[in-house]
Amino acid sequence: MNPDPDYSAAYVVLRTEDGAEGHGFTFTIGRGNEVVRAALDALAPFVTGHTVDDLGEFARRLTHDSQIRWLGPEKGVMHLAAGAMINAAWDLHARRAGKPLWQLLSEMSPESLVELVDWRYLSDALTPAEAVDILASAQAGRTQRAKTLEEHGYPAYTTSAGWLGYSDEKIDRLARQAVADGFRLIKLKVGADRADDVRRLALARAAVGPDVRIAVDANQRWDVPEAIAWMGELAAYHPWWIEEPTSPDDILGHATIRRALAGSGIRVATGEHVANRVVFKQLLQADAIDVVQLDACRVAGVNENIAILLLAAKFGKPVCPHAGGVGLCEAVQHLSYFDYIAVSGRLDDRVIEYVDHLHEHFTDPVVVERGAYRLPSAPGFSTRIKPESLVRYSYPEGAAWN
Amino acid sequence: MNPDPDYSAAYVVLRTEDGAEGHGFTFTIGRGNEVVRAALDALAPFVTGHTVDDLGEFARRLTHDSQIRWLGPEKGVMHLAAGAMINAAWDLHARRAGKPLWQLLSEMSPESLVELVDWRYLSDALTPAEAVDILASAQAGRTQRAKTLEEHGYPAYTTSAGWLGYSDEKIDRLARQAVADGFRLIKLKVGADRADDVRRLALARAAVGPDVRIAVDANQRWDVPEAIAWMGELAAYHPWWIEEPTSPDDILGHATIRRALAGSGIRVATGEHVANRVVFKQLLQADAIDVVQLDACRVAGVNENIAILLLAAKFGKPVCPHAGGVGLCEAVQHLSYFDYIAVSGRLDDRVIEYVDHLHEHFTDPVVVERGAYRLPSAPGFSTRIKPESLVRYSYPEGAAWN
């Protein structure tokens, strides 16, 4: 559980000789943000003075160094830092191209997209040739799907009603408000107290009616048997998915939970703490999850997320990104648009998390209307924090810290 | 692969008000050592000014903080740092008790040992009650087994003959030397070039004869299908195990490789990069490995390694620790002695890696004679680097850096 988040980010600005800039970051919840900063310093020699033109090579340069791999490999602090660096490079590229990232990606050829992926450790589940086939199959209809998104937006869901510690009255009010605002899925935090969860979920179900989906999120609270027993008690209120029922490393545990809950119609979701594409690969191979919750900043940036989108498409599972925190909504939206337009081609059961928090600090904040994300047209990855916010909140010299 | 290791360590000294000291470290291969240092600084507030008397609570304090968990959880840089901190506390405790760590642990009650473990995420494979039973079963014969180790030592194996880049002549000479020195298992690095590996393994087999075991180590080089094909070509020379055939995160991949190689008698080993007890749990649940290669410094110290030893005992798999690097031989030996005396009670197919490198910097270096580790009697965890080495090699001020 995350009882005391102190929203923070390690922030990267890449500058090229011709004056172009790319901004990226990785979100933390406070302590240890400075460790990610140290990790960025350790990666800087792989970036400073080098070219950023080939983004496949750029991403592999940041994740293949043998000495850096010793600290992971491809997980934890070093991988968060690599993600921030790689996402900054994508912001730079999209700005240079004068396109929002979702559009830049959606217009690339299947072959060019496949070259962006680090294929190590994937071939028992997905080969580059299969990936080309998936992307080639999605080429027809790309223009039409982009138009659909521009007209209707991309479905969002909200966690606003469901934080632990909210009074019953507040949950009721916010759940009704969410439906009135157009959301068709809301999410409640669970796992602190079983009787409380039953009461809160009953209340939320009564507030939203039978047709609005309610997801629940345990934030890794449970062991496998406890997850199964606890969700058994909540099943009567038809939760749509249980998110992070146990350790994000526990592939087999998720599979056991999913098998046990299959009869109740409760889906299993995870991803915000899944370390890398190798773990996602196995979650899919083991049929351990129903919902792939990729995160823009946990893995090695856009490149590794392309691998994860391709794996999800291969296994036919919907991607519903993790968002919230600092700027995750801004970043992940591009990946979902790209997924619909050029990878899976599907919107069914796909939805992007939305938390109305900290958007005011971004130069290109997300726009969510009537329960849907609106497609951004500004060039870049929407990952830039306003200059005045950077000055005010920079640690330790910013005025906000006085 | 680790082509260019630059042996380094982030080093911790804990000091108590009464003047006691505990030393711990985590080994890196160069770049990023300073990131682990930053991680230690981030953990310092959980240690400085607090008690270190309850080592179960101490370990959980370092791994349960929600903000720190965001950076893992329990993996990568933060977990390496937690391991260094926790191992330093164990060195302190053993020194205070006037006993080597192996003895301190081996004399504890089953209940006290079980309280040291973080049981989160384990109960679908092993419960505290089962762990007490395992330890209680091993209580009879502890004195006799300690005596056996004192008389005969604990079997070691050597990687000295098998580094990539060695000439055929050198491999032949060192392999024969290893046998003459009393080793019954040697290890060769593989995975760079298939024809080279066939030639080198044939040569080593001819040098050591049919009865000395030869393990091979791919250091994560392969995808799953490649591992199976490559090892198929080496099978004629009867390798004892294939170590790290693929990503250390790939539980299902290891299981696939193991099933494919079962007919050839080649065992599958991994562990030096396995992030935590949750991944070890699954490697055992999935029957993915034959050999559990725990590492003293990769996971959260002695406490998490007790969990891993208990899991291995439950599933009946031998523990053969990873060693080498900086001081790993010194540290892991204690865990293997404890395993034999008080956990598994078994020596069959158990062996500790030995690399003759950097021992001269330790105040209590390992002693390996006639292919066996000799039991240390000095108090502590054998994790102290000599004061003069610390001064000379401290970065950046030490004389060695001029």
Side-chain angles (χ1 to χ4, degrees):
Chain A
M1 304 294 280
N2 310 312
D4 56 347
D6 179 6
Y7 293 96
S8 308
Y11 197 79
V12 174
V13 182
L14 298 184
R15 291 190 183 88
T16 61
E17 284 182 336
D18 60 5
E21 276 190 12
H23 293 217
F25 58 84
T26 194
F27 159 58
T28 73
I29 57 173
R31 262 186 296 284
N33 197 64
E34 71 283 9
V35 186
V36 184
R37 163 59 197 263
L40 286 165
D41 288 341
L43 291 178
F46 298 93
V47 176
T48 309
H50 294 279
T51 173
V52 69
D53 292 335
D54 178 344
L55 280 173
E57 186 275 327
F58 181 82
R60 287 187 285 271
R61 200 193 306 154
L62 291 172
T63 55
H64 279 211
D65 176 68
S66 67
Q67 296 187 358
I68 295 292
R69 288 183 71 79
W70 190 267
L71 305 178
E74 301 187 66
K75 57 178 65 70
V77 166
M78 295 311 307
H79 219 42
L80 292 167
M85 213 63 111
I86 291 164
N87 286 343
W90 278 102
D91 181 56
L92 191 156
H93 269 250
R95 296 256 177 171
R96 271 190 169 160
K99 295 174 182 172
L101 180 73
W102 65 263
Q103 186 183 356
L104 179 73
L105 292 175
S106 299
E107 291 173 358
M108 288 176 75
S109 72
E111 292 75 13
S112 300
L113 288 165
V114 164
E115 282 171 16
L116 294 168
V117 170
D118 182 352
W119 287 98
R120 277 183 313 179
Y121 308 134
L122 295 183
S123 64
D124 56 325
L126 179 70
T127 65
E130 287 176 299
V132 167
D133 287 347
I134 289 168
L135 294 163
S137 300
Q139 282 195 291
R142 294 208 281 196
T143 311
Q144 181 52 47
R145 287 193 293 274
K147 195 171 292 180
T148 299
L149 289 186
E150 274 169 35
E151 283 173 21
H152 303 286
Y154 194 106
Y157 76 89
T158 177
T159 315
S160 62
W163 299 99
L164 292 176
Y166 280 10
S167 69
D168 289 359
E169 180 278 322
K170 189 167 184 179
I171 292 171
D172 179 74
R173 176 167 48 84
L174 292 175
R176 290 175 195 275
Q177 185 62 49
V179 177
D181 290 344
F183 292 101
R184 305 298 297 162
L185 192 161
I186 68 169
K187 192 164 80 184
L188 265 61
K189 299 286 185 177
V190 296
D193 180 276
R194 208 185 286 207
D196 272 359
D197 287 349
V198 170
R199 194 188 70 255
R200 289 154 41 89
L201 191 51
L203 189 110
R205 176 55 73 204
V208 304
D211 297 331
V212 170
R213 294 170 177 176
I214 306 177
V216 296
D217 181 357
N219 286 104
Q220 311 170 25
R221 275 260 186 162
W222 301 318
D223 274 31
V224 172
E226 193 178 15
I228 294 167
W230 200 300
M231 288 309 300
E233 290 202 35
L234 301 185
Y237 307 99
H238 307 295
W240 182 251
W241 75 55
I242 169 61
E243 178 170 332
E244 289 203 307
T246 190
S247 164
D249 302 331
D250 200 344
I251 297 146
L252 300 178
H254 279 83
T256 300
I257 294 165
R258 183 171 181 272
R259 279 193 304 274
L261 298 181
S264 68
I266 303 171
R267 289 152 190 76
V268 172
T270 198
E272 73 178 77
H273 271 93
V274 168
N276 55 46
R277 70 196 180 286
V278 180
V279 182
F280 273 114
K281 176 188 79 166
Q282 294 172 82
L283 286 164
L284 293 163
Q285 288 174 312
D287 212 5
I289 55 172
D290 301 283
V291 181
V292 177
Q293 298 185 300
L294 63 74
D295 180 293
C297 298
R298 172 72 54 189
V299 301
V302 171
N303 298 64
E304 191 158 12
N305 271 317
I306 293 172
I308 294 163
L309 290 172
L310 287 164
L311 284 164
K314 161 85 186 268
F315 286 87
K317 302 280 185 174
V319 172
C320 300
H322 169 239
V326 179
L328 292 184
C329 298
E330 276 69 20
V332 298
Q333 60 173 338
H334 291 271
L335 302 170
S336 280
Y337 308 151
F338 166 61
D339 176 55
Y340 174 54
I341 297 169
V343 186
S344 75
R346 294 170 63 170
L347 274 181
D348 54 309
D349 294 340
R350 272 78 173 168
V351 62
I352 306 172
E353 185 166 17
Y354 175 63
V355 181
D356 189 8
H357 186 47
L358 301 178
H359 303 294
E360 67 274 20
H361 296 294
F362 285 81
T363 61
D364 301 292
V366 292
V367 177
V368 171
E369 291 172 355
R370 296 182 304 285
Y373 275 81
R374 308 305 308 181
L375 241 66
S377 57
F381 196 4
S382 310
T383 46
R384 295 198 178 187
I385 290 180
K386 290 177 180 170
E388 57 269 32
S389 293
L390 287 179
V391 168
R392 179 164 169 73
Y393 291 95
S394 283
Y395 182 82
E397 69 277 14
W401 294 96
N402 290 337
Chain B
M1 306 294 281
N2 310 312
D4 57 349
D6 179 6
Y7 292 95
S8 308
Y11 196 80
V12 175
V13 183
L14 299 183
R15 291 190 183 89
T16 61
E17 285 181 336
D18 61 3
E21 276 190 10
H23 294 217
F25 58 84
T26 192
F27 159 58
T28 73
I29 57 174
R31 261 186 297 283
N33 197 64
E34 72 282 9
V35 185
V36 184
R37 162 59 197 263
L40 286 166
D41 289 341
L43 292 178
F46 298 93
V47 176
T48 308
H50 295 279
T51 172
V52 70
D53 291 335
D54 178 343
L55 279 172
E57 186 274 329
F58 181 83
R60 287 187 286 270
R61 201 194 305 154
L62 292 171
T63 55
H64 280 211
D65 176 68
S66 66
Q67 296 187 359
I68 295 291
R69 288 183 71 79
W70 189 267
L71 306 178
E74 301 187 66
K75 56 178 66 69
V77 166
M78 293 311 306
H79 220 42
L80 291 167
M85 213 65 110
I86 292 164
N87 286 343
W90 278 102
D91 181 56
L92 190 155
H93 269 251
R95 295 255 178 175
R96 270 189 168 162
K99 295 174 183 173
L101 180 73
W102 66 263
Q103 187 184 356
L104 179 73
L105 293 174
S106 298
E107 291 174 358
M108 289 176 74
S109 72
E111 291 75 13
S112 301
L113 287 165
V114 164
E115 282 171 16
L116 295 168
V117 170
D118 182 354
W119 286 100
R120 277 183 312 182
Y121 308 135
L122 295 183
S123 63
D124 56 324
L126 179 70
T127 64
E130 288 176 299
V132 167
D133 287 347
I134 289 168
L135 294 164
S137 300
Q139 283 195 291
R142 294 208 281 196
T143 312
Q144 182 53 48
R145 287 193 293 274
K147 195 171 292 180
T148 299
L149 289 185
E150 273 169 38
E151 283 174 23
H152 303 286
Y154 195 107
Y157 76 89
T158 177
T159 315
S160 63
W163 300 99
L164 293 175
Y166 279 10
S167 69
D168 289 359
E169 180 278 324
K170 189 167 184 178
I171 293 170
D172 179 74
R173 176 167 50 83
L174 292 176
R176 290 175 193 276
Q177 186 62 50
V179 177
D181 290 344
F183 293 101
R184 306 297 297 163
L185 193 161
I186 68 169
K187 192 164 80 184
L188 266 60
K189 299 287 186 178
V190 296
D193 180 276
R194 208 184 287 207
D196 272 359
D197 287 349
V198 171
R199 195 189 69 253
R200 288 153 42 89
L201 191 53
L203 189 108
R205 177 54 73 203
V208 303
D211 297 331
V212 170
R213 294 171 177 175
I214 306 177
V216 297
D217 181 356
N219 286 105
Q220 312 170 24
R221 275 260 185 164
W222 301 317
D223 274 30
V224 172
E226 193 179 15
I228 295 167
W230 199 301
M231 288 310 299
E233 290 201 36
L234 301 185
Y237 306 100
H238 305 297
W240 182 250
W241 74 55
I242 170 62
E243 177 172 332
E244 289 203 305
T246 190
S247 163
D249 302 331
D250 201 345
I251 295 146
L252 301 179
H254 280 83
T256 301
I257 293 165
R258 184 172 181 271
R259 280 194 303 274
L261 297 182
S264 68
I266 303 171
R267 290 153 190 77
V268 173
T270 199
E272 72 178 78
H273 271 93
V274 169
N276 53 47
R277 70 196 179 286
V278 180
V279 182
F280 272 114
K281 176 188 78 166
Q282 295 172 84
L283 286 164
L284 293 163
Q285 288 174 313
D287 213 4
I289 55 173
D290 301 282
V291 182
V292 178
Q293 298 185 301
L294 62 74
D295 180 294
C297 298
R298 171 72 54 188
V299 301
V302 171
N303 299 64
E304 191 158 11
N305 272 316
I306 293 172
I308 294 163
L309 290 172
L310 287 164
L311 284 164
K314 161 86 186 270
F315 286 87
K317 302 280 186 175
V319 172
C320 301
H322 169 239
V326 179
L328 293 184
C329 299
E330 276 68 20
V332 298
Q333 61 173 338
H334 291 271
L335 302 170
S336 279
Y337 308 151
F338 167 61
D339 176 57
Y340 174 55
I341 297 169
V343 187
S344 75
R346 295 171 62 170
L347 274 181
D348 53 309
D349 294 341
R350 273 77 173 168
V351 64
I352 307 172
E353 185 166 18
Y354 175 63
V355 181
D356 189 8
H357 185 48
L358 301 178
H359 304 293
E360 66 275 19
H361 296 294
F362 284 81
T363 60
D364 302 292
V366 294
V367 177
V368 171
E369 291 172 356
R370 295 182 306 284
Y373 276 81
R374 308 306 306 183
L375 242 66
S377 56
F381 196 1
S382 310
T383 45
R384 295 198 179 189
I385 290 180
K386 291 177 180 170
E388 57 270 31
S389 293
L390 287 178
V391 168
R392 179 165 170 73
Y393 291 96
S394 284
Y395 182 83
E397 69 277 14
W401 294 96
N402 291 337

